[in-house]
Amino acid sequence: MSVLILGATSRIAHELAHRYAENGQSVFVAARDADEAARVAADVGVRTEGTCASGRFDATDFAGHAAFLDSVRETVGPIEVAILAFGDMGDQHASEGDFEAARHVIDVNYTAAVSICELLAASMTERAAGSIVGIASVAGDRGRQSNYIYGSAKGAFALYLQGLRNRLFKSGVHVMTVKLGFVDTRMTYGLKTGIPIAAPDAVSRAIFDAQRGRSDVFYYPHFWRGIMSVVKAIPEAAFKRLSL
Amino acid sequence: MSQNRWAQQTLWGWGRYPRVESLVARPERRKEVLDALADRQGDPVLAFGLGRCYGDAALLREGRVVLTRRLDRMLAFDPETGWLRCEAGVSLEEILHTFVPRGFFPPVVPGTQFVTVGGAIACDIHGKNHHVDGSFADHIRRVELLVADGRVVTCGPDEEPELFWATVGGMGLTGLILSCELQLARIDNPYIEMESIRVENLEQFFEVSAESGHFTHTVSWLDCVTTGKATGRGIFMRGRHAPAGTTGGLSLLSRLGRAAPALINFPVDGPDWMLNQATIKAFNEVYFRKHPKGQVNSIVHYEPFFFPLDAVRNWNRMYGNRGFLQYQFVVPPDPSHKAIRLVLEEITRSGLGSFLAVIKEFGERQHGGISFPAPGPMIALDFGIAGQPLFDLLDRLDRIVLDAGGRIYLGKDSRVPRHVFEQMFPELPKWKAVRDAWDPGHVFQSELGRRLGLSGGQR
Ligand SMILES: Cc1cc2nc3c(=O)[nH]c(=O)nc-3n(C[C@H](O)[C@H](O)[C@H](O)COP(=O)(O)OP(=O)(O)OC[C@H]3O[C@@H](n4cnc5c(N)ncnc54)[C@H](O)[C@@H]3O)c2cc1C
Ligand SMILES: NC(=O)c1ccc[n+]([C@@H]2O[C@H](COP(=O)([O-])OP(=O)(O)OC[C@H]3O[C@@H](n4cnc5c(N)ncnc54)[C@H](OP(=O)(O)O)[C@@H]3O)[C@@H](O)[C@H]2O)c1
């Protein structure tokens, strides 16, 4: 039984690979940058003395998804846990003027996730076991002018996972939505904010525990659940006037 | 997202003096380092590891600094030979954490485990085992260096040796170290067989040091406040990795748990008066008296033996907002110990106490260029920044060290005058020629490098 991590060059994903390998599970990490995925796999192998394989995965190569999953299963066997960590925040401003830029953000964060999850769901349902973890974002909880293209794609992903969870519940397949607040990665580097930024290592521990506890929807850092419930409660008439 | 590659940030070294603003990038993977160099827009560049050098070696005003902390992949390890290949941002703490349970230890460790291997090569760090094992570079066989023209060059003692030896102790000015191969040493357990001996004066220090050659690790705490017949009194510590079968307690750090490092933290700046002459004198007296006369043998965990100060996070804040520096020098062996005596006398006369002082005799191995370790006794002294009186004192110490044919450690420096420095390192012109050949446009610079004419600044 193995763990597949997609978007392995993300620091969060890299840390997650450590958590599962430390736990004795065999891990497969994949990323667009296959060389870097191999370096991540080497690191996981050296540090944990566990097994970690790697490969190339491009989220927007929809036609290649099925063959990709077959190659993973050939290497490490049936997939017990699949984690979708890939994402692309894009550039909101560019997405406003250029539909191709917007579509790319939507494709990576949403369309690709649907394609992969449906394939995973089919094989996990067959075995009546497995766990799918999708990394969404608090940015998907309410649309804001500063990043609504990315936010809407992440929001759609969360909604999709909700439906998938409902559908797969009876077959014993677990689906978890992770809603991350600020995490100290490439995406937030240089960001100036008064809100505490979580360390990727802490994020990985929290996700690992939540996945094993078969949590449904999981905010991390936890206080974001509170923040977002307040943000969501603001009446639209007032919200639309804010510069957020 | 290239729009976020460079962020304005103020950085400082462990002494928190000086503090310098730069454009700072934090690559998450090897390729992003190459991209950062290509995207420097004409500015000079410098690597920054864990910022444990004390002064201005890792700082760069009006330039671009590349943080290496996220370049921390361990790429290969051979348990037969102990060779580890890893990226430059891997810390010694991570190596210890990963490999001590498997029976391996870094070949050389400094007084803190929170340094990167890139920083360890760039400062050619030494440890308590210098007299036996040499310095960090003696255990490196290959370095992958990103050089000024954007190429990645592999160098080592057998491959581009000139570039390798210029990079060793080269303070980041030959290029950016991407990865290295280093040989870990075998150990049987995490414990150290330690003997500590109270030495009543300088003479006795050298006697004990001379008869301690069979210990792999030696260092002595030095009371540099007390004078007269007791000048140079202290507590000599010597040890070796304990043999198989030795058992001992857990270290303080392990007991408190790695997860809760903030338990003992120095979270705010101490008042500037906290370490003044009276408190330093009192501390030294208590510390010396606490140790019984003669010798004490014990088995200790490696953490308190090698890294006693790591138990208090941010202890550097004890010196208050003014910051501090360390004056570290080595002088050639001399039976009369004249230079050491003169230094200690000068300090006493100045009325500026050093809270923390250590002394150790280095072994024979040295690497030329601007690498620090050289044969003879080495002393390291911490001083709170005390304005002109301190800088005047250090100028006088420079004179003594220079007259004795000694040198200071750039990894701790933030003030040595250029003409003094130039006389301390006779091989400097050779080092500079190699450096300049690989980086004629002075792409790699630092505040230290500009100050001392190593790269950038006045040529
Ligand atoms: C408590 C304490 C005890 C210490 N004890 C000792 C000791 O016993 N012996 C000893 O030798 N030193 C000692 N030091 C100094 C320390 O070991 C060195 O300064 C070391 O280089 C710090 O590593 P760093 O990763 O923090 O590097 P930084 O401080 O970030 O950088 C140091 C230098 O290395 C360069 N550098 C860093 N990474 C790279 C890279 N990837 N490529 C090229 N250049 C790079 C920087 O540009 C800079 O010039 C001590 C420091 C402290 C705080
Ligand atoms: N950091 C935060 O504050 C934060 C907050 C909320 C949610 N998240 C989410 O957390 C996840 C991890 O992000 P991160 O913060 O670690 O940032 P990151 O370093 O930018 O990670 C994003 C990952 O997505 C991969 N990716 C992008 N486009 C891809 C594509 N077309 N095909 C395959 N992989 C692709 C990237 O891989 P390559 O570029 O190497 O191919 C990278 O591994 C993302 O889903 C992100 O949306 C992050």
Side-chain angles (χ1 to χ4, degrees), chain B residues 14 48-53 68-69 89-92 113-116:
Chain B
W14 188 245
F48 186 104
L50 274 163
R52 258 34 179 221
C53 64
T68 63
R69 267 308 275 137
V90 168
S91 74
L92 293 188
Q113 54 196 317
F114 303 114
V115 302
T116 64

Side-chain angles (χ1 to χ4, degrees), chain A residues 7 9-10 32 58-59 85-87 150 154 181 183 185-186 188, chain B residues 29:
Chain A
T9 52
S10 141
R32 253 188 320 190
D58 185 341
F86 57 84
Y150 169 73
K154 283 291 189 192
V183 184
T185 67
R186 197 163 56 132
T188 54
Chain B
R29 62 181 100 168

Side-chain angles (χ1 to χ4, degrees), chain A residues 2-4 28 30 67-77 79:
Chain A
S2 62
V3 179
L4 170 64
F28 192 106
F68 166 76
L69 289 178
D70 286 342
S71 76
V72 172
R73 282 184 285 253
E74 247 165 60
T75 317
V76 289
I79 298 162

Side-chain angles (χ1 to χ4, degrees), chain B residues 30 128 188 194 216 253 263 429:
Chain B
R30 178 191 161 90
K128 296 177 171 59
D188 289 307
M194 174 172 111
T216 48
L253 273 184
L263 270 181

Side-chain angles (χ1 to χ4, degrees), chain B residues 118-141:
Chain B
I121 295 169
C123 283
D124 193 14
I125 63 165
H126 58 270
K128 296 177 171 59
N129 56 344
H130 184 270
H131 61 291
V132 178
D133 297 316
S135 60
F136 201 76
D138 286 304
H139 309 271
I140 300 282
R141 71 174 173 195

